[in-house]
Amino acid sequence: MADEVILLDYWPSMFGMRTRVALEEKNIKYDYREQDLFNKSSILLEMNPVHKKIPVLIHNGKPVCESLIQVEYIDETWPGGNPFLPSDPYQRSQAKFWGDFIDKKVYGPTRLIWGGKGEEQEAGTKEFIEMLKMLETELGDKTYFGGETFGYVDIALIGFYCWFDVLEKCGNFSIEAECPKLIAWAKRCMKRDSVAKSLPDSDKITKFVPELKKKIGIE
């Protein structure tokens, strides 16, 4: 019996982009179902009753929640091609550390940049640049975070790239001026079909943010 794979997602979500990239890397055919986060569907509420958030990966009727858990699940369920996580336990632990760092330290400041004003926005911009510089130090001169192979940390971070333009406009700063190696890494990632297919155009994100601000009442 063929696998039935469904992804409940929302197109601008950098978290959902991780799952899309992972599925594309493994050449897994899936049914993409766009969700309205302001009017949540019954399937979303049924499949993720705890957090009620996207993305939700549904494999043969069973839901897997949280994007980094989904990336690992995809890697283990469909082991063909390049593994996302290294086999060495220490290297594996380091990849998971940086994935967790991205979740806990990178997303928060981005919301202050596009959704905040004045001192709050400035603080968000400062923190965001500091976090990116830490990631750039970890990347060093490597092709990808794991070395020569595109993997877990790359997948965890690359979705933020299509938000960079709108963040720069809102915060009035240049990421490339601050973190040139990180931008070079992102451009390398964008040459991969899996990434190019999965990330929306940055102009689309820029047009979307004012609409989002109105919807959540901060405009």
Side-chain angles (χ1 to χ4, degrees):
M1 191 182 94
D3 283 326
E4 183 193 44
V5 182
I6 298 167
L7 180 62
L8 309 181
D9 200 0
Y10 183 45
W11 71 267
S13 169
M14 61 277 282
F15 301 107
M17 290 173 212
R18 295 169 171 175
T19 312
R20 285 175 245 162
V21 170
L23 288 165
E24 291 288 349
E25 279 286 323
K26 299 287 186 175
N27 291 310
I28 304 302
K29 288 187 171 63
Y30 65 98
D31 177 7
Y32 178 92
R33 297 190 189 174
E34 180 74 8
Q35 299 297 300
D36 178 355
L37 300 191
F38 299 93
N39 183 21
K40 294 180 180 178
S41 67
S42 57
I43 189 172
L44 176 60
L45 299 174
E46 179 191 345
M47 291 294 168
N48 190 359
V50 177
H51 294 303
K52 304 176 177 65
K53 290 179 179 176
I54 56 89
V56 181
L57 179 69
I58 308 168
H59 182 207
N60 294 333
K62 295 176 182 175
V64 181
C65 301
E66 299 296 310
S67 59
L68 288 180
I69 294 171
Q70 291 165 10
V71 170
E72 194 170 355
Y73 178 86
I74 291 163
D75 199 24
E76 292 176 354
T77 304
W78 296 284
N82 287 332
F84 301 150
L85 280 160
S87 56
D88 176 77
Y90 179 74
Q91 290 179 355
R92 196 178 181 90
S93 74
Q94 295 308 291
K96 288 188 175 186
F97 170 85
W98 286 108
D100 186 62
F101 174 89
I102 292 162
D103 270 1
K104 289 178 178 168
K105 296 291 188 180
V106 178
Y107 175 69
T110 65
R111 206 179 181 292
L112 293 177
I113 297 168
W114 64 258
K117 290 178 182 172
E119 287 181 8
E120 184 185 51
Q121 188 182 58
E122 283 176 26
T125 301
K126 185 171 179 283
E127 187 183 351
F128 183 61
I129 291 167
E130 283 173 9
M131 298 306 111
L132 291 186
K133 283 186 172 178
M134 284 188 193
L135 284 160
E136 186 175 62
T137 300
E138 171 59 20
L139 175 66
D141 293 319
K142 301 190 295 286
T143 304
Y144 299 112
F145 278 93
E148 291 302 310
T149 307
F150 180 81
Y152 184 83
V153 183
D154 306 295
I155 294 170
L157 184 60
I158 192 57
F160 287 87
Y161 180 58
C162 59
W163 281 76
F164 280 8
D165 277 4
V166 75
L167 294 174
E168 288 178 328
K169 287 183 176 85
C170 291
N172 193 27
F173 68 106
S174 165
I175 295 169
E176 189 160 23
E178 299 284 354
C179 302
K181 286 183 180 177
L182 204 62
I183 295 297
W185 159 83
K187 288 177 179 174
R188 280 194 296 276
C189 292
M190 286 301 294
K191 289 179 181 174
R192 300 182 73 83
D193 284 347
S194 63
V195 178
K197 280 182 187 175
S198 303
L199 268 60
D201 188 77
S202 58
D203 288 346
K204 196 177 173 189
I205 297 283
T206 301
K207 287 173 186 167
F208 161 75
V209 167
E211 296 168 22
L212 177 62
K213 287 166 82 169
K214 279 179 188 168
K215 276 186 176 176
I216 60 177
I218 58 170
E219 184 66 8

